[in-house]
Amino acid sequence: MENQTTTTKVALKWGIIIGIFSVVFSTLIMVLGLVANQAVGFVAYIIIGIGVFMAMNAYKKENNGFMSYGQGLGIGTLMSAVSGLLSSAYSFVYMKFIDPSVMDQIFKKAEADMEKKGLSAEQIDQAMEMSKVFMSPGAMFVWGVVGSILLGFVFSLIIAAFVKKDKPIFD
């Protein structure tokens, strides 16, 4: 029996690859102090989108050029879950143990943005207290994984529509 490729194998492989790439990217961003930059966040979306596309193409290549829409959706979603789990776990460890000052950078940027919007000191204090609950390393881990899965699912819905190629019925 030949070694058959499954959607799970491909998704896990590419999830690990994109997860490692995301870890390297995150390290670079945190070391350079760009963690609160929105443009950098957009690059993270592009990384996941490229990963979904590459995973689907890898599956098609190993499956005689065929991939159904459902297979593509599963590959992209699972790949995003794996990469999100890896990168979120790394970010948790980095922000909790290696460099907790990253959280301070995020909070300072948020406070400066609120001041620019003209919020009062009392409103800023209230918002910052609420933010600290949701922006703890643990909460960021959970939201990072959930966000990666949702983003990967949405990307997969779109990308699978273009990449899919169903097997002919009469073959």
Side-chain angles (χ1 to χ4, degrees), residues 95-161:
M95 288 184 227
K96 183 79 174 174
F97 303 109
I98 298 171
D99 188 6
S101 71
V102 170
M103 295 306 296
D104 293 334
Q105 292 174 22
I106 293 170
F107 290 130
K108 284 178 185 175
K109 171 77 166 116
E111 194 170 346
D113 289 346
M114 287 186 258
E115 286 173 359
K116 284 181 187 175
K117 290 181 182 178
L119 289 153
S120 70
E122 185 178 300
Q123 290 172 317
I124 291 172
D125 288 342
Q126 285 178 334
M128 293 306 292
E129 286 303 313
M130 183 72 87
S131 295
K132 287 182 181 175
V133 172
F134 292 105
M135 297 291 287
S136 68
M140 289 180 73
F141 170 78
V142 171
W143 291 118
V145 173
V146 170
S148 291
I149 293 169
L150 291 174
L151 183 66
F153 180 74
V154 170
F155 280 168
S156 297
L157 285 170
I158 298 165
I159 294 169

Side-chain angles (χ1 to χ4, degrees), residues 23-141:
V23 164
V24 171
F25 180 72
S26 294
T27 303
L28 185 64
I29 295 313
M30 287 187 259
V31 167
L32 293 175
L34 299 172
V35 74
N37 188 321
Q38 288 182 337
V40 171
F42 184 71
V43 173
Y45 296 153
I46 292 171
I47 291 169
I48 291 192
I50 289 171
V52 168
F53 179 78
M54 300 280 288
M56 288 181 192
N57 275 334
Y59 179 78
K60 269 179 62 175
K61 183 178 179 184
E62 295 179 27
N63 196 33
N64 298 320
F66 299 109
M67 180 191 77
S68 70
Y69 184 79
Q71 288 171 323
L73 188 59
I75 289 167
T77 305
L78 181 57
M79 185 228 76
S80 298
V82 170
S83 70
L85 186 64
L86 289 173
S87 63
S88 294
Y90 171 75
S91 293
F92 173 81
V93 169
Y94 190 90
M95 288 184 227
K96 183 79 174 174
F97 303 109
I98 298 171
D99 188 6
S101 71
V102 170
M103 295 306 296
D104 293 334
Q105 292 174 22
I106 293 170
F107 290 130
K108 284 178 185 175
K109 171 77 166 116
E111 194 170 346
D113 289 346
M114 287 186 258
E115 286 173 359
K116 284 181 187 175
K117 290 181 182 178
L119 289 153
S120 70
E122 185 178 300
Q123 290 172 317
I124 291 172
D125 288 342
Q126 285 178 334
M128 293 306 292
E129 286 303 313
M130 183 72 87
S131 295
K132 287 182 181 175
V133 172
F134 292 105
M135 297 291 287
S136 68
M140 289 180 73
F141 170 78

